[in-house]
Amino acid sequence: MNIAIVGYGKMGKMIQEIAINRGHMNVRVFDPSIETPLKQKDLDNIDVAIEFSTPDSAPQNYLICFQAGVPVVSGTTGWLSRWDEICKVAISSNTGFFYSSNFSLGVNLFFKLNAMLARIMAPQRNYIPHIEEIHHIHKSDAPSGTAITLAEVLFQENNSLNQWVLNSIGSEHELPIFSTREGNVTGTHTVSYVGDIDKISIKHEAFKREGFALGAVLAAEFLNGKEGIYSMNDLLAD
């Protein structure tokens, strides 16, 4: 398969290595942050683009890929205010878009566990939920996309919550998300319910980034030749 990697930070480099190790010999790399912006002609003969850039540049990169008829796998977070627009263009372009805030298999199992616990805890109003996430100092957005995904499940399961607030307690209808940036932490997410006499928590801690990169390549293999909007739920069910 011919793959374009758009964005060549630490994640892009790992994706390139894993893609080549899995037999994808034509892997082109584009880094719009230090080179000229991505152009349609750069995508000639590309089967799937894997996009890990920045919140500011990602939507434009998606649109260029769709215009070229190239489906996109993306893990860039912080741009979701344009979600409806991007999905509409992907569908009208008869191509595919696979998005996940986190491509780790373990994290996606953690998402399922989070949904189960949120459902159980929703009637227990004496427990106050909050989310904590820790990432490396180079991560540009806060809270993380993974933390927001965790929060959205709590909103679905608990109708007393309607929005999240960053690094503050907020009102009884707001879910606190506490974000920390330190060192070279790969990513840690904790969902807690705090009562007067005890606390219930679930936690996912990533040790290496390779799991995220492998998931992105698996998503590209899944997306090749498909149209429509997909997520890790589709990949895990395949």
Side-chain angles (χ1 to χ4, degrees), residues 35-111:
E35 301 168 0
T36 58
L38 185 69
K39 298 180 177 64
Q40 281 186 250
K41 65 180 182 180
D42 297 328
L43 299 167
D44 289 348
N45 300 317
I46 292 294
D47 296 310
V48 180
I50 302 178
E51 208 280 350
F52 276 79
S53 63
T54 66
D56 291 335
S57 63
Q60 184 61 26
N61 292 333
Y62 304 154
L63 296 175
I64 291 168
C65 290
F66 298 153
Q67 289 164 5
V70 174
V72 178
V73 170
S74 181
T76 303
T77 60
W79 60 271
L80 291 180
S81 61
R82 298 182 63 181
W83 172 262
D84 290 343
E85 171 198 354
I86 295 301
C87 291
K88 182 177 180 180
V89 175
I91 292 169
S92 66
S93 301
N94 298 315
T95 187
F97 185 52
F98 189 119
Y99 176 75
S100 178
S101 61
N102 196 308
F103 282 92
S104 161
L105 174 60
V107 164
N108 282 275
L109 294 172
F110 186 62
F111 287 157

Side-chain angles (χ1 to χ4, degrees), residues 125-166:
R125 299 306 169 96
N126 55 321
Y127 285 90
I128 308 302
H130 71 268
I131 295 172
E132 301 169 71
E133 59 99 347
I134 307 172
H135 281 86
H136 53 84
I137 58 174
H138 303 293
K139 185 169 178 58
S140 59
D141 59 317
S144 68
T146 300
I148 292 174
T149 300
L150 292 166
E152 288 172 345
V153 170
L154 268 69
F155 300 153
Q156 292 170 9
E157 299 296 340
N158 188 337
N159 58 18
S160 71
L161 298 170
N162 54 34
Q163 63 181 353
W164 55 263
V165 291
L166 181 62

